Amino acid sequence: MADRTPLVLVLATRNRGKARELEALLADLPVRVRTLDDYPDVPVLPEVGRTFAENAVGKAVAVAQATGQVALADDSGLEVDALGGAPGVDSATFLGPAASDDDRNRWVLARLRGLAEGLRTARYRAVIAVASPGGAVRTFEGACEGRIAEGPRGEGGFGYDPIFIVPAYGRTMAELPPEVKNQISHRAKALAAARAYLVELAAG
Ligand code: ITT
């Protein structure tokens, strides 16, 4: 019997931290992972929706159409209860394009300064969309509960990880090894939910 050509799966993200995590999470699946570095002509990803799901679908569909391959997008963010769920879907952009992860972390810390531990609750959310060039698209969700630290700690991960405490470990996400983050994160949970569908697609 002839070998099947493995399913090519293009990661529809320009965020390197996300891409690194997704690659690790997909490592044992029968897919050949590609990134947008392999497709330099794919235009800027659309991100105009008001929900994680809308944005994830928009990015995955755009990349599936542009590449002719199955595409996987993640739209994610941090919801801080004391800020009414902000920055939420605007987590990457709410301070404008010139702001850094450190700037955004400082902004959140400043807003929560002096707030008691019990009021510092927050969660990461991720929606993963898988789109096929033929038009099929499915979404999968994951969340990870935590609370906002008093100050940044740790060097791992990306984005808000230095200020996001994972209560079960009493450490920030940036202090946990990548293998641990990849077991407990919002992204890991969304991808776990997507696994069966990816295996189905890979089997043709
Ligand atoms: P792409 O759209 O190219 O994938 P992006 O960074 O713009 O990249 P999002 O719009 O989904 O992606 O923004 C998600 C933001 O939420 C991200 O930039 C981080 O600031 C934050 N975020 C999401 N997941 C995170 C994680 O695991 N750890 C820390 N911060 C995270």
Side-chain angles (χ1 to χ4, degrees):
M1 205 170 78
D3 277 346
R4 276 178 175 284
T5 312
L7 178 77
V8 171
L9 183 66
V10 186
L11 301 184
T13 178
R14 299 203 188 273
N15 178 319
R16 297 226 170 244
K18 238 190 222 186
R20 194 175 56 231
E21 289 180 13
L22 288 168
E23 280 178 312
L25 291 165
L26 288 161
D28 64 337
L29 280 169
V31 295
R32 188 177 294 168
V33 175
R34 296 278 181 265
T35 68
L36 291 182
D37 292 340
D38 300 309
Y39 300 91
D41 297 334
V42 172
V44 173
L45 300 177
E47 214 156 320
V48 291
R50 288 319 300 158
T51 64
F52 296 121
E54 248 181 287
N55 284 333
V57 168
K59 292 187 274 192
V61 167
V63 171
Q65 279 171 359
T67 63
Q69 306 288 354
V70 176
L72 183 152
D74 159 308
D75 202 69
S76 46
L78 175 73
E79 292 178 353
V80 179
D81 292 325
L83 302 176
V89 73
D90 300 319
S91 289
T93 54
F94 76 101
L95 287 184
S100 65
D101 285 342
D102 282 350
D103 294 332
R104 287 183 283 271
N105 287 341
R106 269 195 294 271
W107 185 94
V108 173
L109 289 171
R111 293 296 168 299
L112 267 61
R113 190 162 295 136
L115 203 62
E117 189 177 292
L119 298 174
R120 303 178 74 90
T121 50
R123 72 204 51 73
Y124 280 134
R125 282 195 194 281
V127 174
I128 282 179
V130 180
S132 300
V137 55
R138 295 264 309 265
T139 59
F140 306 90
E141 299 181 12
C144 177
E145 297 289 331
R147 72 172 186 270
I148 302 301
E150 306 272 350
R153 298 199 315 253
E155 303 295 327
F158 66 96
Y160 299 95
D161 286 343
I163 65 164
F164 186 89
I165 293 178
V166 184
Y169 290 86
R171 296 196 195 176
T172 68
M173 202 64 112
E175 292 178 306
L176 295 174
E179 316 80 76
V180 174
K181 180 174 181 188
N182 279 345
Q183 279 163 16
I184 61 173
S185 78
H186 48 315
R187 187 161 297 109
K189 289 176 188 166
L191 200 62
R195 274 185 107 75
Y197 182 58
L198 290 170
V199 169
E200 203 181 293
L201 287 177

